[in-house]
Amino acid sequence: MGKYQSLRTSKVSLLIEKRTIWISLLLLALCLAAAIISAGSGGQSISPLNVIKVLLGGGKPMDQVIIEKLRLPRIVIGILVGASLAVAGAVLQGIIRNPLASPDVAGITEGASLGAVLFIFLFGGAVSVHWLPLFSITGAFLMTALLYVLAWKRGVESLRLVLVGIGVSAAIKSVSYMLIITGPMALAQRSLTFMTGSIYGTSWDKDVMTLLPWVLILLPITWLQARNVNIQSLGDDVASSAGAQVQRQRLVLIALSVGLAGAAVAIGGAIAFIGLMAPHIARKLVGSSFGSVVPVSALLGALILLVSDVIARTAFLPNDVPAGVLTAAIGAPFFMFLLYRNRNRS
């Protein structure tokens, strides 16, 4: 028991490894440092000390406008989107039992993107943007259902699901690009940026307040499902013999993963590979227990997206490159490495 810290409430009792707590605190400090650097980076540079003054309620009036109105919403969205995609990937990898699984590799991100692109083209600015996550999540759920149908052959084998997801993802992406090519120029430009994945131009009202309720509800619920994911990771036969309702639990877990990924994509666009990289790194740091993987994956996902966004928007000034370009550049080799290693182990 010396290795664990007990967290108890009237309805929930959890044991968390102390190593997980220390690593989470370290990652939290790194996220805070990345946020301060991000708040001070851009066409108008602001020193970290002045950023801290603004965050504490002081600082120059011009610095306050730049940080509070322009950069801080972008930072908060980066944290929320990165954490959501990472935890969604952790759930998929846990229940599919394959390190190659993630929302973008399995095609869930593309389904969410198609739902969002359809929302943009059907309604433009006529309908409140707060409805966008609903369309995005619906697209993700439909994509997931299609994947299961196509991958089913006396059950769903994990590698088959990943490979089918890659193929269907390419097909869905082509539909999205067809809409972009044939649509009005203004909507096409917005949709193209969305397909790349970007947190540029985010605001408190339109973006942060739209995504925040989804994350605050779904992330804790997902963390409380740790025991079910741990049982699922043992395989269907072992889980069933332990008394688990495998199919019902899997359906709930997939719904949580799709909800997190769909909501994140609705605001941040199709940002690639965070859901693949963060859970894999988290398991290397704290082991395979899902109760430890969730908080560490969330912090890693937030950190990856924050750092990627800072580099992408400062390395090519005055151009603001979408963060999704950099995450794809990092994640593609990472995915090929995992695919190669998984193939050698088969």
Side-chain angles (χ1 to χ4, degrees):
M1 290 295 292
K3 293 175 57 180
Y4 296 89
Q5 178 67 45
S6 176
L7 296 179
R8 298 179 184 274
T9 66
S10 59
K11 295 183 178 180
V12 178
S13 177
L14 293 172
L15 287 177
I16 301 178
E17 194 173 2
K18 290 182 178 179
R19 180 185 178 189
T20 300
I21 296 175
W22 287 113
I23 290 176
S24 297
L25 290 174
L26 175 60
L27 290 172
L28 186 61
L30 290 174
C31 284
L32 180 60
I36 292 173
I37 293 172
S38 178
S41 302
Q44 177 68 42
S45 296
I46 303 173
S47 69
L49 181 60
N50 288 334
V51 169
I52 294 173
K53 288 180 179 178
V54 171
L55 295 178
L56 294 177
K60 302 176 183 178
M62 181 59 69
D63 291 346
Q64 290 177 352
V65 172
I66 293 173
I67 292 174
E68 294 176 359
K69 301 295 184 182
L70 301 177
R71 294 178 183 171
L72 201 53
R74 183 171 183 162
I75 291 168
V76 174
I77 283 296
I79 293 171
L80 296 176
V81 169
S84 298
L85 290 174
V87 174
V91 173
L92 287 178
Q93 290 176 14
I95 61 178
I96 296 177
R97 304 186 299 281
N98 192 317
L100 300 177
S102 71
D104 43 298
V105 175
I108 296 173
T109 297
E110 298 304 332
S113 298
L114 180 58
V117 169
L118 284 172
F119 176 86
I120 293 171
F121 274 80
L122 290 175
F123 301 107
V127 177
S128 171
V129 73
H130 294 290
W131 288 98
L132 181 56
L134 183 60
F135 274 75
S136 184
I137 290 172
T138 300
F141 270 111
L142 292 176
M143 179 67 178
T144 304
L146 179 62
L147 282 178
Y148 255 76
V149 170
L150 294 178
W152 185 271
K153 186 178 181 182
R154 298 174 185 174
V156 177
E157 197 270 330
S158 59
L159 185 58
R160 186 190 307 124
L161 183 64
V162 172
L163 294 176
V164 170
I166 293 172
V168 175
S169 176
I172 295 296
K173 183 178 288 188
S174 67
V175 175
S176 298
Y177 280 125
M178 182 62 67
L179 289 172
I180 292 172
I181 292 171
T182 57
M185 182 60 68
L187 295 180
Q189 181 63 38
R190 181 183 173 191
S191 299
L192 186 60
T193 302
F194 186 90
M195 291 290 294
T196 306
S198 174
I199 55 176
Y200 171 79
T202 53
S203 65
W204 291 110
D205 293 337
K206 187 181 72 172
D207 300 296
V208 175
M209 298 312 297
T210 298
L211 180 58
L212 187 61
W214 294 88
V215 177
L216 290 180
I217 293 171
L218 294 179
L219 273 184
I221 293 176
T222 303
W223 188 48
L224 293 175
Q225 293 291 316
R227 179 177 178 273
N228 292 337
V229 177
N230 290 333
I231 292 176
Q232 293 267 332
S233 65
L234 299 175
D236 291 1
D237 293 337
V238 175
S240 298
S241 64
Q245 296 178 319
V246 176
Q247 296 303 324
R248 187 179 68 83
Q249 290 177 358
R250 183 170 296 163
L251 183 62
V252 171
L253 291 167
I254 289 176
L256 290 170
S257 177
V258 170
L260 284 168
V265 170
I267 302 301
I271 296 175
F273 292 115
I274 289 180
L276 175 72
M277 294 186 289
H280 187 81
I281 298 171
R283 286 195 300 274
K284 292 294 183 182
L285 292 174
V286 296
S288 59
S289 174
F290 193 72
S292 298
V293 168
V294 167
V296 175
S297 292
L299 290 168
L300 280 168
L303 182 62
I304 291 171
L305 187 50
L306 283 177
V307 173
S308 298
D309 184 55
V310 171
I311 296 173
R313 66 186 170 90
T314 58
F316 305 97
L317 288 173
N319 296 319
D320 194 321
V321 177
V325 173
L326 196 61
T327 61
I330 299 170
F334 190 89
F335 172 72
M336 288 187 287
F337 167 74
L338 289 180
L339 185 62
Y340 175 77
R341 194 175 69 171
N342 193 66
R343 178 176 176 270
N344 286 341
R345 287 180 176 179
S346 311

